[in-house]
Amino acid sequence: MSNHIVGIDISSSKVCGVVGKIDNDNRIQVLGITTSKCSGIRNGMVVDTNSISYAVTSVVKALENIVNMPVKEAYLSIPISLCELTKNRGAVSVSSPSKEIQISDLRNVLEAVKQVPMEKNTEVVAVEPEMFTVDEMSNIGNPVGMTGEELAVEAQVVTAPSAMLEGYKKALSRAGIGVNGIVVNSLGIYKDIIEEDEIDNGVALIDIGAEVIETSVYRNNRILNVFSVGLGGETITNDISICLKVPHEDAENLKIKCSNLIKDKTLQNYRVKINSITGNGSIDINYDTLVEIIGERVKELLNIVKKKLIEDGNYKDINSFVIVGGGVSLFRDITVVATEVFKKQTRVGSPSYVGAANPIYSTAVGIIREIVLRNKISNELSRGTEFSNLEVNKRDESKEKVTFSSKIKEFLAEFF
């Protein structure tokens, strides 16, 4: 699709598709985003390929109508909760006779760091560099252009089960969509939504889905921890269904109707009415009762996350929290409740792009951001030197010195 980028995010409750591009001012432009209900995922694994394929087909058709061109390939987001992070160090000898570090040396060391002990039937899906070392000099952000004998990198290597990846790819294939590449959901989100000062000071990203809450902790540009809790928005729906003795579908509609997590005296006598999905008339519920059920469960879910952070020893490293994901992030009082639970500053993270400024689109839009960062190096390099497939032209290698204005995360993203 020329310079267009298509991303597909498959969760336990929906498939979300997004299409974007870089405009003439080098800014990300989200052209369209759409969702379709899906029940083909359980605990991050594909359990119903047909359900996913149907939803993907629906999403792709909508995106095609938006951009008025066919969509045949997309970048796929996968859950970080099913991945494993391994800290590793890779090192290579600098190849140039002048011992000046070139792009090729950077490629070589990033390939070297991928060599980690892996269980059978797993593969590397991402590498998050933390620090480069040139000879005895450490804490280097961008080593290109420096002189030394050895180049080393410390990084988090992200691996995922091959069976899980194949399951997702098969579902897209049945919808006639090829997979251009893989984006790990939380890594795409944090590069798009988390502020630089938040990462420097320590931040926990809480992605609340229907069945799983994924939490990732970042500090000083490093991933400190990743874990998941097998609870989410569906847990709240079940509570409503059991407590109010209503069918599950009606409980979901009641949850959507509720916008508060804290009782409001002005709404004390307010009642919520919905038409029952069963066709047996309407359901009339006291709003305060609904708020109490949902509010207490949300507090419990957040407390479970907090307890895990304390047990893992990361709570002290966190200065603030950012909540994204499904319907829980849309509750009016979520930041008040979360701040009360965590005792630290909390905000809801949302993409800033026109038409996609909603926390439920965070993962899908994060795909666009990640791919743009991967491709940005092409533009940076082409300003000063001739390149072919991002490799330095050998005739100019000894004459040209490449300079970069982008941050090292943006620079390195192309190599993964």
Side-chain angles (χ1 to χ4, degrees), residues 21 74 155 268 272 355 407 412:
K21 69 174 185 176
Q268 191 171 9
V272 179
K407 296 179 183 178
L412 294 171

Side-chain angles (χ1 to χ4, degrees), residues 99-171:
K99 297 305 177 184
E100 182 176 311
I101 297 171
Q102 307 289 338
I103 301 295
S104 56
D105 298 309
L106 193 56
R107 282 187 177 277
N108 291 339
V109 78
L110 293 173
E111 284 298 323
V113 81
K114 292 180 183 179
Q115 306 307 311
V116 295
M118 290 188 293
E119 294 184 9
K120 189 178 180 180
N121 299 322
T122 61
E123 53 193 274
V124 175
V125 293
V127 175
E128 290 292 303
E130 296 180 348
M131 178 187 70
F132 288 94
T133 300
V134 177
D135 293 340
E136 301 301 322
M137 188 180 300
S138 59
N139 291 314
I140 296 171
N142 181 2
V144 175
M146 295 181 64
T147 302
E149 295 287 336
E150 182 185 76
L151 173 63
V153 63
E154 292 183 8
Q156 290 279 5
V157 181
V158 186
T159 58
S162 300
M164 182 264 285
L165 297 174
E166 287 304 312
Y168 278 78
K169 291 177 181 179
K170 182 178 180 181

Side-chain angles (χ1 to χ4, degrees), residues 226-281:
V226 172
F227 65 86
S228 64
V229 175
L231 300 168
E234 186 69 15
T235 309
I236 300 172
T237 302
N238 289 336
D239 283 354
I240 296 172
S241 177
I242 293 170
C243 293
L244 300 182
K245 296 180 174 60
V246 298
H248 183 272
E249 293 84 354
D250 292 331
E252 180 67 20
N253 290 333
L254 286 170
K255 182 177 70 175
I256 295 172
K257 283 277 189 179
C258 184
S259 59
N260 294 73
L261 296 176
I262 301 173
K263 291 182 179 180
D264 186 339
K265 291 182 180 179
T266 63
L267 299 173
Q268 191 171 9
N269 297 316
Y270 180 69
R271 302 189 70 81
V272 179
K273 294 182 180 180
I274 63 167
N275 292 322
S276 177
I277 197 74
T278 63
N280 296 325

Side-chain angles (χ1 to χ4, degrees), residues 10 15 38-41 45-57 163 166-175:
I10 304 173
V15 170
C38 174
S39 58
I41 297 289
M45 300 296 289
V46 174
V47 296
D48 188 342
T49 302
N50 290 333
S51 174
I52 299 172
S53 298
Y54 181 83
V56 169
T57 299
E166 287 304 312
Y168 278 78
K169 291 177 181 179
K170 182 178 180 181
L172 264 66
S173 177
R174 285 196 180 180

